[in-house]
Amino acid sequence: MNAKPNIKDLSFKELAVFLTEHGHPIYRAKQIRQWLFQKRAILFAEMSNLSRGLREELDENFTIGRLQALRRAESRDGTVKFLFGLAGGASIESVLIPESRRLTLCVSTQAGCGFGCAFCATAVLGLTRNLMASEIVDQVLEASRTLNADRRITHVVLMGMGEPLANYDQTLSALQIMTDGEWGVGISPRRITVSTVGLVPQIQKLMAETRVNLAISLHAPSDELRGKLMPVNRKYSLSQLLDCCRALPIPRRKRITFEYVLLRAVNDSEQHARQLAKLLQGIRSKVNVIPFNPHPGTAYFRPTDAEVTRFQKVLYDAGVQVNVRRPRGDDIQAACGQLQGEEHERAPAIPISAAVS
Ligand code: SAH
């Protein structure tokens, strides 16, 4: 017999079909989703505004899937990294980043990643599999469970392991669940950012279908260098990517974020900064400079603070809006590009409540 499907993975339509076939009104679908995504029920028995009969039918046909909380580590700076086990043995990481009044969760969209960026720890793993929409959303639900009642996640960034736009349909469903105010998690799309290596057709689709913020990993101002650092550049060149950006329907008050990981003596010269400023002319954008976060086995280095400032100043003087991202949680390998997960089997299954940082 097949395992029962996870009810969180059913579309509204599929849920409606099930309800109709079992003689229940369709409006129950919304109530069920409220239980799953707003009240975060883990048992059908909790769903007290459904009839007992319906609760039993749901229980006979579905499960309420959850991520397995394997480990939790807390950084000196307050950043918290979660390791979650998935059905099938792979694992993913999510990172909770407190920052003044914001509480941002960085979520994964794939177990591993197949894009092979030269400087990234996740790339070393290769791609294990895409996450289901429910597994993307569950990172938010599970991380929320660990917070005190007066704290909630205010922002979500799809910048953890994997390439969100290579898992487009599940990412889109996850965004719908996260943003719906009536039955979903209820986070405004203005507080959600999707980061991509630069998959042009999917960027166009995403911007047409959602109102989330877009971040693009650029990392080099020429095709030659970008091609060496990011194999995806051989498929979508810089000019294709930037032409796409120029044509996007970006609302007036918004900007596209370009991420630029600063690698010592590779892409961090004044010349690179000037080239980058020129490239971005005419695009309403801002640049997030991310000084490289080292990880075991890497051949790259983080530039000195003075080198970072020099790069930043050239951009600033050229009229580019630029921020330098401070590494968060790098003492627990939780910073950008340091996420690697672990094999399920090797990780001791410490319940989150008992885990020590
Ligand atoms: N696949 C998506 C999102 C995941 S990575 C993307 O590429 O945008 C999130 C960001 O961290 C990307 O900009 C990525 O290039 C950057 N990054 C990867 N490895 C890094 C490292 N070691 N140090 C700093 N940033 C890194």
Side-chain angles (χ1 to χ4, degrees), residues 98-149:
E99 212 176 1
S100 60
R101 270 199 254 149
R102 288 184 179 204
L103 187 56
T104 303
L105 187 72
C106 176
V107 303
S108 296
T109 52
Q110 298 181 311
C113 183
F115 283 83
C117 297
F119 44 83
C120 179
T122 310
V124 179
L125 304 171
L127 177 64
T128 304
R129 72 164 170 89
N130 282 328
L131 299 195
M132 299 295 288
S134 62
E135 293 170 321
I136 301 172
V137 175
D138 275 346
Q139 295 169 61
V140 180
L141 303 187
E142 291 298 336
S144 297
R145 274 181 213 285
T146 67
L147 301 174
N148 290 336

Side-chain angles (χ1 to χ4, degrees), residues 243-305:
D243 284 350
C244 151
C245 290
R246 281 192 190 87
L248 287 176
I250 303 291
R252 228 181 315 137
R253 294 204 323 275
K254 273 203 189 176
R255 289 168 185 271
I256 301 174
T257 300
F258 289 100
E259 295 160 286
Y260 195 101
V261 57
L262 215 52
L263 307 165
R264 185 168 202 190
V266 174
N267 66 354
D268 65 342
S269 71
E270 292 186 36
Q271 169 72 12
H272 289 123
R274 278 193 294 273
Q275 250 181 307
L276 177 62
K278 199 160 164 223
L279 209 58
L280 299 183
Q281 264 172 16
I283 303 179
R284 212 165 47 251
S285 58
K286 58 183 172 196
V287 173
N288 253 350
V289 171
I290 317 171
F292 174 66
N293 295 307
H295 48 88
T298 184
Y300 294 99
F301 297 95
R302 180 184 294 181
T304 62
D305 289 351

Side-chain angles (χ1 to χ4, degrees), residues 23-24 52 54 78 104 116 122 155 165 174 303 308 322 326 332 343 349:
H24 301 283
R52 178 196 288 250
L54 175 54
T104 303
T122 310
H155 292 72
L165 301 189
V308 174
V322 51
R326 274 178 309 134
I332 53 164
E343 275 172 46

Side-chain angles (χ1 to χ4, degrees), residues 46 196 319 324 329 350 353:
E46 290 176 58
T196 174
V324 174
I350 309 170
S353 54

